[in-house]
Amino acid sequence: METPEPQKRSRAPVAALARMPTGAKLFLILVGALLPLALITLFITIQTTQTVSNERRERLRAMAGESAGTLNTVLSNHIAQLKEGLAALEANPGDAPACTRLAGTFGSQGSARFAVLGGSGKVLCGERFSLSGAALLDPGQLQARIVDNGVSVRIGGHDGASAVAYYPAALLNTIARPNGFVPEYALELTKGDERLQLRALPGAGVLDRRETAHDPIQIDGLAIDMSVPGTPITSPLIVSTVLMVIMWIASALIGWAVVDILLIRPLRRLRASVGAYTPGEVLDIKRIGELPAQEIRELGETFREITRTVQAHEADLAEGLVRQTKLTREVHHRVKNNLQVIASLINFHARGAKSAEASEAYASIQRRVDALAVVHRNHYAEMEENRGLELRSVIGELAANIRATAPEHSAALGITIETEPVLVNQDVATAVAFLLTEIIELAMMRMAGAQIRISVKAGPEDDRATLRVVSPALVESPELVELLENRYGRVLGGLARQLRTKLHHDPLTGAYEASIAITGKGGLAV
């Protein structure tokens, strides 16, 4: 009986599929099975990209707001002090304290420059420098301009007097940098159509997109424009190609199923067991499960023998470490006790001193012993973690000891501490403690009731920080020069060499500044 023609046509695809190789059949099945998964993946990718773009915009707005707020705070503070200085110098051109305050404010900003000019153009305070396009302003009028690769701020006074400050682009970029970990960004300062680039975004191509945020500074029309790279544009052709590659790889994996069962999976289990291995344990091969390949079983036995050897060595090392730790603790404990005994003996002899000079000498020696004891005590407290010494606690305890040993004529001694949480090793902490002791004692000798401010700020480099000591008692004078030449100068120079840095002295503001090495900042080791 002959088969009808419609049935022949319906059975033709089935027969053609039956004649195809098994690999081709699996490939076609996988193509159909993975197509919905590929479409879902594409949808998820689009949604993820949109989410990332929204998060990036929110973070950009936060960064721009922080940069604009920081820049506004610094510039507003400087403008307020410029106005005060201009008013004071208009009233009294010889007002040195007002000029000194301005010099101290702008001196802390590095490359910023300022000048207070009289009506005749004479410089009353600061340094003379020229800026293009300067105009005569009304009293109290404020003008901010983008000029000469920076920003100038000019304040008008009476009878043609004025105060002007100039901030280069590099300094503005440093001030406006957001805190913490931030992605690559571009930063521009704008006023109307004028633009000053503070930071360029590297690697910007023709197809790259950017997200930009605009935030005003509220100082004569100045504003911040911050940009970050946008989410990359994905081409539909790339998506289709990746989708086909994924399908091809999935089909190829079927051909490797036997190899995966016999070799890859047992090796993965063995690798996971070895990866989870903790020194001191013995690797148990039975926990891995059945290993079908003899070669893998032999490899497992080899690992087991190695872990048994490591266990024996770990036990010996642990025992030796315990003994060494006990000895180290005992040594540090005895040194700490010896320093306490020395301090007590000095205090005892100081009470029996028969002259003020002898008492002051004992107090000077005791301050240096206290400085060493403070560093050693903090080092002993940090031995468990061995992260380094917290410099803020060392300086705080040192300042308390110095106040306690200050002579009667320095009872009004004031020490203000502004330090960031940075960590240093014992050698640096010892040198810093002695350096601060010498500088504070120098200020005490120079001026009764001296007011001293100590600050430590982490720099842009991960392994450096800036130590700064400021006091009116350290402003250059004949008495200060005599003390440095006869007693303190050589000691300060030796301590700076021990810190492998240079100790800078600003005679106008009375500031000592040095760059010191640190092992960590923000509580994290470098």
Side-chain angles (χ1 to χ4, degrees):
M1 183 178 180
E2 186 177 355
T3 303
E5 188 66 25
Q7 293 183 5
K8 289 183 180 180
R9 287 197 299 269
S10 63
R11 292 178 181 176
V14 178
L17 185 61
R19 291 193 298 268
M20 292 179 62
T22 303
K25 295 178 184 177
L26 290 175
F27 180 80
L28 292 177
I29 293 172
L30 287 173
V31 167
L34 292 175
L35 182 59
L37 180 61
L39 295 177
I40 293 174
T41 303
L42 177 60
F43 176 75
I44 293 175
T45 301
I46 294 174
Q47 292 297 319
T48 303
T49 303
Q50 186 65 31
T51 302
V52 171
S53 298
N54 294 336
E55 293 177 354
R56 186 167 298 186
R57 293 190 191 99
E58 291 296 328
R59 186 172 185 182
L60 173 61
R61 283 193 288 268
M63 289 168 54
E66 180 183 354
S67 297
T70 302
L71 201 56
N72 181 51
T73 300
V74 173
L75 294 181
S76 298
N77 181 49
H78 287 188
I79 290 171
Q81 296 193 40
L82 278 174
K83 288 182 177 179
E84 293 178 3
L86 176 60
L89 291 171
E90 281 183 326
N92 181 13
D95 192 345
C99 185
T100 301
R101 287 193 296 271
L102 284 175
T105 299
F106 285 87
S108 62
Q109 296 298 331
S111 55
R113 292 181 289 175
F114 80 100
V116 177
L117 306 176
S120 61
K122 179 181 179 181
V123 177
L124 303 180
C125 183
E127 60 178 329
R128 180 178 297 277
F129 56 94
S130 61
L131 295 174
S132 60
L136 185 64
L137 303 180
D138 296 331
Q141 183 180 358
L142 172 67
Q143 182 187 63
R145 300 175 57 248
I146 296 176
V147 59
D148 298 337
N149 197 29
V151 171
S152 67
V153 177
R154 183 180 293 274
I155 302 170
H158 297 85
D159 300 327
S162 64
V164 61
Y166 173 74
Y167 302 86
L171 175 60
L172 295 172
N173 178 42
T174 302
I175 296 174
R177 175 178 173 80
N179 293 324
F181 177 79
V182 294
E184 286 292 332
Y185 65 92
L187 192 64
E188 289 185 336
L189 191 65
T190 66
K191 181 181 180 182
D193 296 333
E194 298 179 336
R195 311 185 74 85
L196 174 64
Q197 187 179 67
L198 304 183
R199 179 186 174 99
L201 186 62
V206 179
L207 299 179
D208 292 338
R209 298 189 303 121
R210 289 189 178 186
E211 301 288 348
T212 303
H214 180 83
D215 212 314
I217 299 181
Q218 301 177 356
I219 296 178
D220 196 23
L222 292 178
I224 282 289
D225 278 355
M226 181 175 286
S227 302
V228 297
T231 306
I233 301 175
T234 304
S235 171
L237 179 60
I238 297 177
V239 174
S240 301
T241 304
V242 171
L243 182 63
M244 294 301 296
V245 170
I246 292 174
M247 292 181 178
W248 174 74
I249 293 175
S251 302
L253 288 176
I254 300 300
W256 287 92
V258 176
V259 177
D260 183 68
I261 294 173
L262 294 179
L263 296 176
I264 304 300
R265 290 183 184 178
L267 284 174
R268 286 176 179 170
R269 293 199 301 270
L270 181 59
R271 183 191 63 183
S273 181
V274 174
Y277 163 72
T278 302
E281 296 181 353
V282 177
L283 189 64
D284 188 4
I285 303 300
K286 295 181 179 180
R287 292 186 304 178
I288 302 176
E290 185 64 26
L291 299 176
Q294 176 65 26
E295 294 79 6
I296 299 179
R297 288 197 297 269
E298 293 175 354
L299 180 61
E301 289 296 332
T302 302
F303 277 123
R304 185 170 179 273
E305 292 299 325
I306 292 175
T307 56
R308 182 180 289 115
T309 304
V310 171
Q311 184 186 44
H313 289 174
E314 284 286 333
D316 294 339
L317 290 175
E319 184 178 356
L321 181 60
V322 170
R323 291 196 301 269
Q324 185 64 34
T325 302
K326 289 181 179 179
L327 291 175
T328 304
R329 287 175 180 271
E330 181 64 22
V331 170
H332 279 283
H333 183 68
R334 292 188 180 186
V335 172
K336 182 168 64 71
N337 290 343
N338 291 338
L339 289 173
Q340 290 176 351
V341 170
I342 294 172
S344 299
L345 289 174
I346 294 174
N347 188 29
F348 176 77
H349 286 286
R351 293 177 182 176
K354 297 182 179 180
S355 65
E357 290 80 4
S359 298
E360 178 60 28
Y362 279 122
S364 179
I365 295 172
Q366 187 171 12
R367 279 192 287 270
R368 285 150 181 81
V369 173
D370 287 342
L372 183 60
V374 166
V375 174
H376 190 82
R377 187 159 50 251
N378 282 270
H379 177 67
Y380 182 75
E382 293 289 343
M383 280 184 61
E384 293 295 332
E385 298 183 8
N386 196 24
R387 299 181 300 118
L389 279 75
E390 178 70 48
L391 194 56
R392 179 164 52 188
S393 61
V394 172
I395 295 177
E397 189 173 349
L398 179 65
N401 290 343
I402 293 177
R403 291 192 193 99
T405 59
E408 294 182 359
H409 66 271
S410 295
L413 174 67
I415 301 178
T416 304
I417 301 174
E418 299 176 359
T419 65
E420 296 182 1
V422 299
L423 304 174
V424 298
N425 59 36
Q426 185 182 11
D427 293 336
V428 173
T430 302
V432 169
F434 281 130
L435 182 66
L436 292 178
T437 301
E438 296 293 333
I439 294 176
I440 293 173
E441 185 174 292
L442 174 62
M444 291 166 53
M445 297 292 293
R446 169 66 181 83
M447 180 184 297
Q451 301 300 309
I452 304 168
R453 182 167 62 89
I454 303 173
S455 65
V456 178
K457 294 184 178 180
E461 301 178 359
D462 292 337
D463 59 347
R464 307 295 295 181
T466 301
L467 172 67
R468 183 178 175 85
V469 183
V470 183
S471 174
L474 300 175
V475 175
E476 186 173 2
S477 66
E479 297 177 6
L480 182 69
V481 173
E482 182 180 358
L483 288 172
L484 288 173
E485 291 180 351
N486 297 333
R487 181 173 179 180
Y488 294 95
R490 183 176 300 176
V491 178
L492 293 177
L495 292 172
R497 286 192 296 272
Q498 185 176 347
L499 287 169
R500 296 181 180 178
T501 186
K502 291 185 178 180
L503 183 63
H504 301 281
H505 178 222
D506 189 343
L508 297 179
T509 61
Y512 276 97
E513 184 175 295
S515 176
I516 61 174
I518 62 176
T519 60
K521 57 185 178 181
L524 299 177
V526 175

